[in-house]
Amino acid sequence: MNRQMGLLTKKIGMTEFYKEDGTRVPVTVLLAKGNVVTAHRTVERDGYTALQLAFDDQKASRLSKPKLGQFKKAEVSPKRKIKEFRVAADVVAQHAVGSEVDVSIFSDGQLVDVTGTSKGKGFQGVMKRHGMRGEKRTHGQHEVYRHGGSIGCRLTPGRVIPGKRMAGQMGNETVTVQNLEVAKVIADKGLILVKGAIPGGKNGYVQIRHAIKAAIRTKHGKN
């Protein structure tokens, strides 16, 4: 079962970070300040254990009455994003409803899994979407340089196989990148600097969790 503790964050952008030895590292800046616990999930009531976190203030006028009632019950201000993180029962007990979960749950050098929505690039052809090389632009060739070509399968099976690489919408998908390194945690500002690039554009919402593969290796005593 996936039991990774995490936070909801907002992608601020990219910058550079210098290590103590002077090495320059490209990092993505994530704002994680303001994660508030709005509910608990327990085995007795829900069949599993989890923390429900809310992030990023929202105007009350832009939320429905059921949503406002949810925040009122937890005694927290209205938020824009809500996400459940499945964790062990002892972790749920450590965070009371209405309390804030800060960035101290992460540390410098730790491995994390990051989930975001990739940039939408609209309807694209097979060359840009799948990296196909296209046709030769030689004498006698018609204007099909960037076309996908034939997709037929003759009589058997007489249909297009699911998953066929074709033109279509590119991007705007949920993408998870595993085992990224936390370069620096700036606790007083609620910032997390993650080494490398993260899916999505500026001001996009990103989920950051403790790396599941690292947790599995630790559980089985592997380095």
Side-chain angles (χ1 to χ4, degrees), residues 190-219:
L191 298 176
I192 304 174
L193 308 185
V194 180
K195 183 178 179 181
I198 288 175
K202 293 182 179 179
N203 296 320
Y205 293 99
V206 175
Q207 301 169 28
I208 180 171
R209 304 170 180 262
H210 296 164
I212 184 64
K213 291 182 178 177
I216 294 174
R217 286 195 295 266
T218 302
K219 181 178 178 180

Side-chain angles (χ1 to χ4, degrees), residues 89-169:
D90 58 335
V91 178
V92 173
Q94 294 173 8
H95 301 281
V97 174
S99 64
E100 182 174 344
V101 182
D102 57 29
V103 296
S104 62
I105 64 172
F106 296 102
S107 59
D108 298 354
Q110 182 180 4
L111 296 181
V112 294
D113 296 341
V114 177
T115 301
T117 302
S118 61
K119 292 181 180 180
K121 300 184 182 298
F123 190 97
Q124 299 295 336
V126 293
M127 292 182 69
K128 182 171 182 177
R129 191 182 185 202
H130 301 294
M132 296 185 181
R133 69 177 185 178
E135 295 289 339
K136 296 180 180 179
R137 302 194 177 195
T138 57
H139 177 71
Q141 176 68 284
H142 289 281
E143 293 76 12
V144 291
Y145 313 119
R146 302 182 66 90
H147 290 202
S150 174
I151 62 172
C153 297
R154 303 185 68 178
L155 182 62
T156 304
R159 60 189 175 86
V160 178
I161 302 298
K164 180 70 174 178
R165 296 187 300 167
M166 300 175 66
Q169 181 181 345

Side-chain angles (χ1 to χ4, degrees), residues 27-184:
V27 296
T28 302
V29 183
L30 299 178
L31 176 63
K33 188 175 182 179
N35 276 267
V36 181
V37 180
T38 54
H40 288 168
R41 298 289 180 255
T42 61
V43 174
E44 296 77 16
R45 185 184 63 217
D46 307 293
Y48 64 97
T49 58
L51 283 175
Q52 184 187 84
L53 300 184
F55 173 72
D56 198 12
D57 291 334
Q58 173 68 288
K59 292 182 179 179
S61 59
R62 295 188 177 182
L63 294 176
S64 62
K65 288 184 178 180
K67 284 291 185 182
L68 289 175
Q70 182 179 1
F71 292 116
K72 184 178 180 180
K73 181 179 179 181
E75 297 182 354
V76 299
S77 60
K79 302 291 183 180
R80 191 182 300 268
K81 290 292 181 179
I82 298 177
K83 174 66 179 178
E84 284 188 4
F85 292 90
R86 295 217 177 181
V87 294
D90 58 335
V91 178
V92 173
Q94 294 173 8
H95 301 281
V97 174
S99 64
E100 182 174 344
V101 182
D102 57 29
V103 296
S104 62
I105 64 172
F106 296 102
S107 59
D108 298 354
Q110 182 180 4
L111 296 181
V112 294
D113 296 341
V114 177
T115 301
T117 302
S118 61
K119 292 181 180 180
K121 300 184 182 298
F123 190 97
Q124 299 295 336
V126 293
M127 292 182 69
K128 182 171 182 177
R129 191 182 185 202
H130 301 294
M132 296 185 181
R133 69 177 185 178
E135 295 289 339
K136 296 180 180 179
R137 302 194 177 195
T138 57
H139 177 71
Q141 176 68 284
H142 289 281
E143 293 76 12
V144 291
Y145 313 119
R146 302 182 66 90
H147 290 202
S150 174
I151 62 172
C153 297
R154 303 185 68 178
L155 182 62
T156 304
R159 60 189 175 86
V160 178
I161 302 298
K164 180 70 174 178
R165 296 187 300 167
M166 300 175 66
Q169 181 181 345
M170 182 178 179
N172 194 31
E173 297 178 333
T174 300
V175 180
T176 298
V177 182
Q178 294 184 315
N179 294 334
L180 294 178
E181 180 183 343
V182 176
K184 182 70 174 179

